[in-house]
Amino acid sequence: MSSDDWYRNKDWNESIEDFFYSKLKRARTQRDQYLVIQALTLAENHPKVTLRLVNEYFVSRKDQFDDVRALLAKANAYFALNDLERCIAAFKEVLEREKEFPKHQTGVYLDYPYLVANRKIEHEYTTALNVLDEHVDRLTFPLDHFKWHASKALINNDGSEAQKALDAAKIKRSGFRFHQDVGLVGKEHEKTIKHLCKIST
């Protein structure tokens, strides 16, 4: 890792932590951003560290500019810990904060309903569907359309929506001139695709 990437560590131990904080202490600007980027980077493999960094961010932040990404890091960490209740709560915090800062948008409007649908969290169904409908105009990539229709299909057991999701999963080019492989449906969605196939028949 180059010296410029000291806040993008994918692993974490005592020596890495010491080096990170030594650099953070000397950072005159963007301290909040460095904390949040490191928290996001560690969310999957070191979720407890992420939660600690997010807490530190909210305790010491100078403004709210990075709040949305900090909350996203928290949600991702709770997901990694399989704490779905806290993950969903954090997703909802992200959505609320996005309303305050509309230029700071994430994919949570899809990730939250997709999680609810796949894990069959029935008491969240109504809210999840409302979120999908509220943000339908934000759909851009094939993956976006897949998650949107898949969530609707799984929640409502809707064959028509399932087929639309499956159609999106078959797309092999994003349609963007210089980013043809961005935003496509990957192998990590195979389990959902199999379920959609059953619904669509």
Side-chain angles (χ1 to χ4, degrees):
M1 178 171 293
S2 71
S3 59
D4 292 334
D5 286 336
W6 59 269
Y7 52 91
R8 298 180 187 274
N9 297 287
K10 295 180 179 179
D11 200 3
W12 197 259
N13 55 41
E14 186 175 346
S15 62
I16 293 174
E17 180 171 329
D18 288 343
F19 182 70
F20 172 78
Y21 278 105
S22 69
K23 296 285 287 186
L24 187 67
K25 186 177 181 180
R26 294 197 294 270
R28 295 183 178 181
T29 61
Q30 297 182 299
R31 183 181 185 279
D32 293 348
Q33 185 178 15
Y34 295 144
L35 271 172
V36 170
I37 291 174
Q38 185 60 82
L40 281 165
T41 306
L42 291 172
E44 182 176 355
N45 295 321
H46 297 274
K48 292 183 179 179
V49 177
T50 286
L51 293 174
R52 176 160 55 84
L53 293 174
V54 169
N55 182 66
E56 183 175 344
Y57 162 80
F58 279 109
V59 168
S60 63
R61 79 189 195 287
K62 295 183 178 180
D63 56 51
Q64 297 178 311
F65 185 82
D66 285 296
D67 281 12
V68 169
R69 290 196 300 170
L71 292 169
L72 178 61
K74 182 167 74 168
N76 292 344
Y78 280 130
F79 179 78
L81 292 168
N82 201 34
D83 188 338
L84 299 187
E85 182 178 347
R86 286 191 172 91
C87 175
I88 287 173
F91 275 155
K92 289 180 177 179
E93 286 185 89
V94 171
L95 292 170
E96 286 301 314
R97 199 57 60 93
E98 285 182 358
K99 292 179 181 178
E100 298 178 46
F101 302 95
K103 293 184 179 181
H104 298 188
Q105 295 184 343
T106 68
V108 167
Y109 77 100
L110 292 169
D111 294 337
Y112 157 60
Y114 193 68
L115 172 64
V116 167
N118 274 286
R119 296 300 183 93
K120 303 184 187 307
I121 307 174
E122 295 185 5
H123 66 275
E124 292 286 339
Y125 279 0
T126 299
T127 303
L129 290 171
N130 288 338
V131 168
L132 290 172
D133 290 337
E134 182 180 353
H135 298 283
V136 63
D137 59 337
R138 289 175 57 182
L139 300 177
T140 304
F141 295 102
L143 180 59
D144 298 346
H145 289 272
F146 170 78
K147 285 187 171 182
W148 197 93
H149 290 293
S151 299
K152 287 255 185 177
L154 294 172
I155 290 174
N156 293 323
N157 195 33
D158 188 324
S160 175
E161 293 287 1
Q163 188 57 55
K164 290 176 183 177
L166 292 172
D167 290 342
K170 294 175 183 177
I171 297 174
K172 301 304 179 185
R173 296 193 175 199
S174 67
F176 289 82
R177 182 178 179 185
F178 298 109
H179 303 281
Q180 292 290 343
D181 59 346
V182 173
L184 302 181
V185 180
K187 293 182 178 180
E188 66 273 19
H189 301 286
E190 286 182 353
K191 185 176 180 180
T192 300
I193 290 173
K194 289 180 180 179
H195 194 176
L196 292 169
C197 287
K198 294 178 181 178
I199 296 174
S200 67
T201 57

